[in-house]
Amino acid sequence: MTRDANEPAHGGQQRLSRRTVLTTMGAVPVLTVAASIAGAGEAAAATANINPAAPRQTIRGFGAMAHAAWIGDLTAAQRDTAFGAGEGRLGFSLLRIPVGENRADWSRDLATAKRAVELGATVFASPWNPPASMVETFNRNGQTNARRLRYSSYGAYATHLNDFATYMRDNGVNLYAISVQNEPDYAAEWTWWTAAELVRFLRENAGAIGTRVIAPESFQYIKSLSDPILNDAAALANTDIIGAHLYGTSYANFPYPLFTQKGAGKELWMTEVYYPNSNANSGDAWPEALDVGEHMHRAMVDAGFQAYVWWYLRRSYGPMREDGRISKRGAMMAHFARFVRPGYTRVDATANPASNVYVSAYRGGNTVVIVAVNKNTSPVSQQFTLANTAASGSVANWLTDASRTVAPQTALAMANGSLTATLPARSVTTFVTSISGGTTTPTPTLTATPTGSVGTGPRVTYTMSTWNNGFTAAISITNTGTSTINGWTLGFTLPTGQSITSGWNASYSPASGQVSAVNAGHNATLAPGATVDIGFQATHTGNTAEPAAFTLNGIACTVA
């Protein structure tokens, strides 16, 4: 991306603008096609069947880009709005920041990154250019000032990227990953890379980078840029995340069969987009914002992405308006980000139970989250059925339509794993329930002081998902006692070499050794028989053992 999507390309360069690309690829706003969408009268859709026992991809998170040098830093309040998970927050769990070509610029996004980490978010970074001393110019199809990294500087560039990661770590931010290059195939204003150059760098130099490596971040998910990486064993071994942007990418090109075939152990992230346009003040355009909801659905379901990251976090066409308020586009993102937390897994669900209705489902421990998008001009009666469970209980739900923005609604009832709900016209609804029969409501309140008895042997389940130097841990805590717990602390010891980088639904301290996980405001109360799901993301140095024992408020737990 350039400094502002609304600015024309400069320097006399002749190239398609983003808007031209989007129009060419058929990204048409809802307003222009509304007449073709179902009209008045509540329609009944086919049952949306959800199988919590059929996992798909693990979700790393949702987020956006902060770039203080180009659009100014976020304020303290805006950081909390972006990365907080309560009412009136976006719930972002990912932050993308730039890698400055000059070391003097590295501190610009540090304050925002540190606050994001404090609120449980994961930070990654992308460079636009290497240091000028490493770059040479060449003639690329008539662009006489095109830039590329000199081959003799490949090693120095790997050191540069590693130095940035070290700088961030030394200042309190452990980068989850760093990219080789932002949009190497759309680089008239930054640095070009061919697929062969990327493969060579990954093969020969990326192994020296001490954090996960992202490549290639093609601006339009052009597979000819990432296929060579997947087809080269040495390059792939030094690549942790296949990153892509979705500017003008048709839905037909979302699936990636080669990644499915050869990407075992690797992650697939969508690291930048705005959609469907960057028109001024379009963040609140309605019902156009519903296009974002469908786009996110398809990114999760059709493409199988594990991350979804917007371009500028704060912009008139972005998730946060310039005044710091959440836009309608931001509401679409919050319906996923606030409730589908890092480490949750997308599970099988009927994706399109009716025309213009899109359903996806996610599981974290015993918590099941359903996101339903209804683009019709009339309400839809939608039944959801959870397979292999007879769970009954309350279902928390949040709604965005023309007049409401991620607004909490009256709880619904699920009986024997089945729920029927009305999806209002032109709306997005998120449903959150528990397949253990309890209710999971991620709306913060003040943290309570621990009281009550935990009874005998609270039950803990601990499930790890590991990769080469990291893992996520999903933890379920069940109150097996006869009295309500008002405030809790889970104690455990992480094995040697493991260190927590971020977490959800609890506060974790310290990052390694003997850890205490203290309840969040929204889950301080644990009724008899109820279960709460928490988790964290961590690094390891080869030891992927699980903690040997757990205590809840000092009482030894049974490990299931």
Side-chain angles (χ1 to χ4, degrees):
M1 277 304 305
T2 53
R3 297 191 179 197
D4 195 302
N6 291 309
E7 294 177 0
H10 54 272
Q13 298 157 0
Q14 299 298 312
R15 60 191 179 111
L16 292 177
S17 69
R18 298 261 189 215
R19 192 167 300 159
T20 301
V21 171
L22 291 170
T23 302
T24 302
M25 297 301 293
V28 183
V30 172
L31 286 170
T32 65
V33 298
S36 67
I37 295 178
E42 181 171 313
T47 299
N49 295 305
I50 296 163
N51 187 353
R56 299 297 182 249
Q57 75 270 29
T58 298
I59 304 303
R60 296 297 176 210
F62 305 87
M65 178 96 190
H67 202 313
W70 287 0
I71 63 167
D73 201 0
L74 301 180
T75 67
Q78 290 167 355
R79 293 166 190 153
D80 287 353
T81 297
F83 303 104
E87 299 298 340
R89 307 292 197 227
L90 283 165
F92 284 173
S93 51
L94 289 175
L95 170 65
R96 183 178 183 230
I97 60 173
V99 180
E101 56 193 273
N102 299 312
R103 291 176 181 244
D105 297 333
W106 288 358
S107 64
R108 283 178 169 169
D109 296 286
L110 184 58
T112 290
K114 290 178 72 171
R115 183 56 179 156
V117 169
E118 289 171 356
L119 292 170
T122 293
V123 181
F124 70 102
S126 299
W128 268 245
N129 290 300
S133 62
M134 302 180 191
V135 173
E136 64 184 5
T137 58
F138 70 108
N139 188 324
R140 184 185 185 278
N141 300 327
Q143 183 189 349
T144 58
N145 64 342
R147 284 171 286 187
R148 67 186 173 200
L149 180 67
R150 292 198 310 269
Y151 173 63
S152 61
S153 295
Y154 276 25
Y157 184 54
T159 299
H160 170 75
L161 296 178
N162 203 50
D163 286 349
F164 180 82
T166 300
Y167 170 85
M168 296 301 292
R169 182 178 66 249
D170 289 347
N171 285 277
V173 177
N174 287 317
L175 287 184
Y176 184 85
I178 196 165
S179 174
V180 175
Q181 172 66 47
N182 170 75
E183 297 182 353
D185 54 342
Y186 192 80
E189 297 175 36
W190 44 88
T191 302
W192 294 99
W193 293 66
T194 65
E197 289 166 344
L198 283 166
V199 166
R200 186 172 189 174
F201 178 83
L202 291 167
R203 286 173 58 97
E204 299 178 3
N205 305 99
I209 299 172
T211 190
R212 296 172 193 82
V213 173
I214 304 174
E217 287 202 285
S218 164
F219 103 99
Q220 203 174 67
Y221 204 9
I222 301 299
K223 308 299 195 300
S224 60
L225 205 62
S226 49
D227 282 357
I229 299 171
L230 290 167
N231 285 322
D232 188 294
L236 186 60
N238 289 331
T239 306
D240 301 282
I241 301 169
I242 297 296
H245 299 180
L246 292 179
Y247 290 107
T249 310
S250 67
Y251 290 144
N253 288 329
F254 272 30
Y256 197 0
L258 187 64
F259 180 83
T260 302
Q261 177 187 351
K262 296 191 173 183
K266 307 301 177 181
E267 299 185 39
L268 185 64
W269 286 28
M270 197 290 292
T271 55
E272 185 190 307
V273 78
Y274 58 74
Y275 188 85
N277 55 50
S278 60
N279 296 340
N281 302 312
S282 59
D284 281 322
W286 190 266
E288 184 183 80
L290 285 169
D291 284 356
V292 178
E294 180 187 354
H295 196 258
M296 294 184 71
H297 165 89
R298 291 183 180 270
M300 297 293 106
V301 175
D302 298 353
F305 284 117
Q306 296 169 262
Y308 187 100
V309 181
W310 193 268
W311 176 224
Y312 288 138
L313 197 160
R314 186 195 64 217
R315 217 59 174 163
S316 71
Y317 55 85
M320 181 185 291
R321 303 181 343 181
E322 292 290 358
D323 62 4
R325 296 177 60 187
I326 295 173
S327 69
K328 287 293 189 181
R329 288 183 177 182
M332 299 298 101
M333 296 191 71
H335 272 281
F336 291 84
R338 276 185 54 194
F339 308 101
V340 183
R341 302 304 294 168
Y344 278 36
T345 302
R346 186 176 72 84
V347 297
D348 187 59
T350 303
N352 194 204
S355 177
N356 300 306
V357 174
Y358 305 93
V359 173
S360 60
Y362 310 84
R363 179 177 180 177
N366 287 322
T367 299
V368 173
V369 179
I370 303 168
V371 183
V373 181
N374 177 19
K375 296 182 74 174
N376 292 294
T377 57
S378 58
V380 172
S381 177
Q382 181 65 61
Q383 181 180 8
F384 303 94
T385 299
L386 276 61
N388 304 314
T389 179
S392 298
S394 181
V395 181
N397 58 107
W398 288 258
L399 171 68
T400 295
D401 59 10
S403 61
R404 291 166 286 193
T405 301
V406 203
Q409 304 297 294
T410 302
L412 302 173
M414 180 173 65
N416 297 317
S418 181
L419 163 72
T420 298
T422 295
L423 307 179
R426 288 177 169 167
S427 69
V428 177
T429 309
T430 298
F431 304 92
V432 183
T433 191
S434 172
I435 56 176
S436 64
T439 303
T440 302
T441 307
T443 304
T445 58
L446 293 176
T447 300
T449 302
T451 62
S453 169
V454 295
T456 303
R459 186 170 64 250
V460 169
T461 62
Y462 186 91
T463 305
M464 294 179 70
S465 175
T466 64
W467 55 93
N468 56 347
N469 58 356
F471 68 94
T472 58
I475 306 171
S476 294
I477 308 167
T478 300
N479 179 6
T480 58
T482 58
S483 62
T484 298
I485 302 169
N486 292 305
W488 49 264
T489 297
L490 183 72
F492 56 93
T493 299
L494 280 178
T496 302
Q498 298 181 7
S499 181
I500 297 173
T501 57
S502 63
W504 55 94
N505 292 341
S507 298
Y508 298 86
S509 181
S512 58
Q514 293 183 336
V515 177
S516 293
V518 180
N519 62 265
H522 66 271
N523 58 17
T525 300
L526 196 56
T531 298
V532 63
D533 296 308
I534 65 173
F536 60 85
Q537 187 166 289
T539 59
H540 68 80
T541 57
N543 184 356
T544 57
E546 299 182 359
F550 298 84
T551 62
L552 191 70
N553 292 354
I555 304 297
C557 298
T558 299
V559 181

